[in-house]
Amino acid sequence: MDRVALRGLKARGHHGVFPEEREEGQTFTVDLVLGLDTRAAAADDDLTKTVHYGVVAEEVVAVVTGEPVDLIETLAERIAQTCLKHEVVQEVEVCVHKPDAPITVPFDDVTVTITRSRV
């Protein structure tokens, strides 16, 4: 399976279990790896035979900026399901970064990574 990756998609969301996270919001970063077969698109040099990663990027940002959830696990699942709505996408790996998570000790990042595929 071929891979199309989008790294570092950034959007402001209001996700989290604490009231201040919901009120103030924070920046989330999303990395995606989409699994699909790109041979037909490459053979014909045809965008309609692959995934339009610009459209996927806009859809993912809409999920992040959309309805708040408590857990980044839930956010990752919503993003994965959005990606799988594209018929050519057979598998997706989603990594959601929450670098401003409310943790009381020094840290660089908090991430949740999931992989989903068509059954």
Side-chain angles (χ1 to χ4, degrees), residues 8-60:
L9 295 172
K10 290 184 177 27
R12 189 159 188 85
H14 293 264
H15 311 289
V17 296
F18 298 114
E20 58 273 13
E21 291 180 290
R22 293 293 182 106
E23 292 166 14
E24 297 171 18
Q26 59 191 289
T27 300
F28 293 84
T29 303
V30 178
D31 300 324
L32 301 173
V33 180
L34 309 170
L36 62 149
D37 187 341
T38 64
R39 287 177 288 195
D44 295 339
D45 198 27
D46 186 349
L47 176 61
T48 66
K49 295 182 179 179
T50 188
V51 65
H52 191 309
Y53 51 78
V55 170
V56 171
E58 291 171 359
E59 292 171 347
V60 168

Side-chain angles (χ1 to χ4, degrees), residues 6 9 15 30 32-35 51-67 69 73-94 96 114-118:
L6 290 90
L9 295 172
H15 311 289
V30 178
L32 301 173
V33 180
L34 309 170
V51 65
H52 191 309
Y53 51 78
V55 170
V56 171
E58 291 171 359
E59 292 171 347
V60 168
V61 166
V63 172
V64 175
T65 60
E67 181 185 347
V69 296
E73 291 88 342
T74 306
L75 183 60
E77 185 66 35
R78 287 184 178 179
I79 292 168
Q81 294 310 314
T82 296
C83 294
L84 288 172
K85 288 180 182 176
H86 293 267
E87 189 175 319
V88 296
V89 176
Q90 298 300 307
E91 181 178 271
V92 61
E93 179 182 280
V94 177
V96 175
I114 66 170
T115 302
R116 299 291 181 266
S117 60
R118 297 186 184 278

